[in-house]
Amino acid sequence: MIPVEIAPILSLVVIVLMFIAFVGERYAPDVVALAAVGFFLATGMLTTDAFIGVFANGAPIAIGALFILSGALLRTGALERISHLAMAGAQRSPILTLSALTLFVLVGSAFLNNTPIVMVMIPLALQFAKASKWPVSRLLIPLSYAAILGGGCTLIGTSTNLLVDGVAQQNGMEPFSIFEISAVGAGVALVGVIFTAVMARFLLPNRPTLAEMTGAARTQTFLTEVLVPAESDLIGKPLSDVAVFQRSGGKVIDVLRGEISLRRTLSDVELLAGDRVVLRTSAQDVIDLREDGHAVGGMSEVSSTDSVTMEVLVGPGSRLVGRIIGKLRLRRRYGVYPLAVHRRGRSIAPQLDAVRLAIGDTLLVEGPVENIRKLIEDAELIDLTRDTKTIPLRRSLAPVAIGTLLGVVILAGTGIMPIAGAAVLGVAVILLSGVMDADEAFSHIDGRLLALIVSMLAIGATLQATGAVQLIVDTIAPVLQGASPLVALIAIFTLTTILTELVTNNAVAVVLTPIAITLAQQLGLDPRAFVVAVMVAANASFATPIGYQTNMLVYAPGGYRFADYMRLGIPLKIVTGAAAVFLIQWLWPLA
């Protein structure tokens, strides 16, 4: 057991180490947080009863239920339909269309998990860029920022808002209503959208995406396999010396020897009987190869299929996250070839088979279109090349999904039922009406996010129980004692908004909310104003791609670099921060 007098200091040391681990990204945030909880349990700083008590917090329940309601709108095509209506005039009125899309993202993110909204919008933004001739790199970061700003307009707009509310209730505060923060959120969103719209053209680059950099990568080509028979005169020849495979700009993609791919050592390959040479070439070259007597198509071991090149995004829910490309066996399982990977503004194709995929990676894949669609469906990827649907949408049930969400908002907004209860009731309606079956519904819950949230709630309870929160406040309060209440509010806001760029915003929110409450009480100020400041600042993750999940989603598709976020994000943080502090101290007077 840890002595009482050193428990506060030790718990703060663990928090610092945990934040360092978050920044290092060697382990996932949920793993780091669970490890910290394990340490606190093992040392007795967190009792088992206190840990179990964390599950009485309604925030994780509400967040999980809202994931399912967001999934229902996706499953019925409601989000897609609304966004397509907004896209109708892209060529005629690009400014009006972009305004409509921004409004859709803002309003949608205020009531739904903003990650699926951004996932739906990325392909549409690419289509808009093509129709309007606007550079994609000046559209996708603003799309992510609009989703973040929209999420701050209601209590259910982000998991962070719900989590802060849950922690505030644990600290004896009255719960926030669903629209209590809307005046601040809407004001900040208005300022943020206007600033982004004006400054994006000056501060964001005009940079091509991966598919644009590959020239005509999206035009239809022909993928075929050429068999080297036992009597072939190609046997024993180095692949690089076979001129017939290099004609008309054709390219050798692979050499298959039995079930072994020799793609990584093509320069050293000498052809043997039974090898299958995989070519990407034109239809005319396939005909020429056949006329020259080569075994192309029509034979038992040889396949020849129309091929397309498509760009797909690895989203948060993809089954490929954390998987190594070479071990996926995409050629064997799907007949699909990965050609390149785009991550954080650069291609990493030379070590393609060794790449471990992460959220936000863009894959350029080639193969028969039906095979790629099957891969997109199975792996839950996002097709960036065209708006392709791989599963039939239950469009007739869209009114049920929309009505259910509105019902949840009305029940929670009028105070008839707490948010967690209303959201669970909504899930029951979704399941009973057949909008989604149970497997589909629960697949939309981000289990790792919920594990992180529960772990951070337990860590917050530990900081309270050990006296670490009081220790921090006792250190800060004397410094701020003589300062104005506005300075104290700005200090909490600034600390939160800096930390949220470095580590997950949910972790920052849980750690700083009790500190903000205790500090406000000790200074004789309204803690509600300080809690709202933590909400807004924790969501203001504009300056880095790692600060917020939607920022990471647009990283590769927009061809961005790390500095691009800082260039626009830091001024945006300052402008929206000033607006937030002004509105907070006006609506919750600090005097």
Side-chain angles (χ1 to χ4, degrees):
M1 300 297 290
I2 302 298
V4 175
E5 56 273 14
I6 69 168
I9 297 174
L10 180 58
S11 60
L12 290 176
V13 169
V14 172
I15 295 299
V16 171
L17 293 175
M18 188 179 69
F19 279 9
I20 291 172
F22 283 152
V23 176
E25 295 185 300
R26 179 170 182 178
Y27 298 100
D30 52 309
V31 175
V32 174
L34 281 169
V37 171
F39 176 81
F40 288 143
L41 286 169
T43 56
M45 287 191 287
L46 175 66
T47 65
T48 302
D49 288 343
F51 177 65
I52 293 174
V54 165
F55 291 89
N57 192 307
I61 296 172
I63 292 166
L66 288 169
F67 276 139
I68 294 177
L69 294 178
S70 299
L73 291 181
L74 287 172
R75 188 67 178 84
T76 58
L79 285 180
E80 176 201 8
R81 177 63 178 161
I82 296 171
S83 57
H84 274 291
L85 288 174
M87 271 285 295
Q91 287 183 312
R92 280 193 320 274
S93 307
I95 299 294
L96 183 62
T97 300
L98 192 60
S99 300
L101 289 174
T102 303
L103 181 63
F104 165 70
V105 172
L106 285 170
V107 175
S109 297
F111 300 99
L112 299 169
N113 177 17
N114 48 25
T115 298
I117 290 177
V118 172
M119 291 167 66
V120 167
M121 290 301 302
I122 287 174
L124 290 175
L126 296 176
Q127 291 178 31
F128 173 83
K130 185 176 181 180
S132 64
K133 309 301 182 185
W134 287 25
V136 172
S137 57
R138 290 180 182 165
L139 292 175
L140 292 186
I141 280 182
L143 166 64
S144 175
Y145 289 173
I148 295 171
L149 291 166
C153 292
T154 68
L155 189 65
I156 64 173
T158 70
S159 60
T160 306
N161 290 350
L162 286 167
L163 192 54
V164 170
D165 178 52
V167 174
Q169 291 182 53
Q170 284 183 329
N171 283 266
M173 290 181 59
E174 288 295 316
F176 282 82
S177 66
I178 190 171
F179 295 115
E180 188 172 346
I181 64 170
S182 294
V184 174
V188 171
L190 179 63
V191 171
V193 167
I194 292 174
F195 180 85
T196 303
V198 172
M199 300 305 298
R201 62 183 299 178
F202 302 109
L203 299 179
L204 289 179
N206 183 356
R207 190 177 295 132
T209 63
L210 174 62
E212 291 169 337
M213 287 189 288
T214 58
R218 292 180 181 172
T219 61
Q220 184 152 322
T221 59
F222 212 76
L223 189 71
T224 191
E225 294 179 7
V226 178
L227 178 69
V228 180
E231 67 280 4
S232 174
D233 58 0
L234 300 179
I235 295 174
K237 288 187 176 181
L239 184 64
S240 57
D241 291 349
V242 181
V244 72
F245 293 151
Q246 317 297 331
R247 67 173 72 179
S248 302
K251 183 176 181 180
V252 176
I253 300 298
D254 200 353
V255 174
L256 306 176
R257 188 163 290 167
E259 291 299 324
I260 300 174
S261 170
L262 305 180
R263 178 159 50 92
R264 287 179 289 180
T265 57
L266 287 178
S267 59
D268 301 323
V269 169
E270 291 187 359
L271 296 173
L272 301 179
D275 284 352
R276 286 173 291 162
V277 181
V278 182
L279 294 172
R280 185 177 76 235
T281 187
S282 67
Q284 183 60 53
D285 279 347
V286 173
I287 295 172
D288 292 344
L289 284 166
R290 186 175 293 163
E291 290 181 351
D292 290 345
H294 297 285
V296 180
M299 298 183 64
S300 60
E301 292 189 86
V302 181
S303 63
S304 181
T305 54
D306 285 327
S307 170
V308 295
T309 302
M310 295 171 71
E311 193 175 353
V312 295
L313 177 68
V314 181
S318 174
R319 301 177 190 276
L320 301 190
V321 174
R323 305 284 301 278
I324 296 173
I325 290 179
K327 295 183 178 180
L328 292 173
R329 299 184 179 180
L330 298 182
R331 177 195 62 78
R332 185 173 180 179
R333 295 175 61 191
Y334 295 98
V336 171
Y337 285 84
L339 302 181
V341 180
H342 204 54
R343 176 183 295 169
R344 300 190 177 182
R346 65 183 187 277
S347 174
I348 47 177
Q351 297 82 33
L352 189 62
D353 280 351
V355 171
R356 188 181 297 275
L357 293 171
I359 294 172
D361 284 354
T362 302
L363 270 171
L364 205 62
V365 294
E366 185 170 57
V369 65
E370 292 303 322
N371 294 23
I372 296 179
R373 287 177 179 171
K374 177 64 174 171
L375 170 63
I376 290 172
E377 177 182 350
D378 290 352
E380 299 183 41
L381 300 167
I382 304 168
D383 178 13
L384 300 179
T385 306
R386 57 178 63 86
D387 188 22
T388 302
K389 286 295 172 189
T390 58
I391 57 175
L393 297 173
R394 295 175 181 147
R395 297 184 188 279
S396 62
L397 294 173
V400 177
I402 295 172
T404 301
L405 178 63
L406 289 175
V408 170
V409 172
I410 291 170
L411 287 174
T414 56
I416 296 174
M417 186 178 290
I419 294 171
V424 170
L425 178 59
V427 170
V429 173
I430 292 298
L431 294 174
L432 291 174
S433 62
V435 171
M436 292 191 292
D437 59 35
D439 288 339
E440 289 176 311
F442 293 114
S443 70
H444 284 280
I445 295 178
D446 189 341
R448 299 187 69 168
L449 176 60
L450 291 184
L452 172 64
I453 287 172
V454 170
S455 299
M456 289 310 304
L457 287 172
I459 290 169
T462 305
L463 293 178
Q464 286 280 23
T466 59
V469 170
Q470 191 61 50
L471 177 63
I472 294 174
V473 172
D474 289 343
T475 304
I476 297 175
V479 177
L480 297 176
Q481 196 70 55
S484 69
L486 183 59
V487 170
L489 183 68
I490 292 172
I492 284 293
F493 190 96
T494 303
L495 178 61
T496 306
T497 197
I498 291 173
L499 288 177
T500 198
E501 297 294 354
L502 304 176
V503 299
T504 171
N505 50 2
N506 287 320
V508 172
V510 172
V511 171
L512 289 184
T513 298
I515 295 173
I517 293 171
T518 308
L519 177 63
Q521 291 171 339
Q522 195 154 319
L523 294 176
L525 304 173
D526 183 1
R528 221 163 181 79
F530 283 69
V531 171
V532 175
V534 172
M535 282 187 190
V536 178
N539 284 315
S541 303
F542 305 124
T544 69
I546 62 174
Y548 209 90
Q549 199 168 62
T550 58
N551 286 348
M552 185 58 74
L553 275 179
V554 301
Y555 202 153
Y560 294 118
R561 296 171 185 159
F562 199 98
D564 295 331
Y565 290 83
M566 299 179 67
R567 197 175 295 117
L568 179 60
I570 291 176
L572 180 61
K573 286 175 77 73
I574 296 171
V575 170
T576 55
V581 169
F582 171 78
L583 290 169
I584 290 169
Q585 60 88 31
W586 179 51
L587 294 168
W588 289 274
L590 299 175

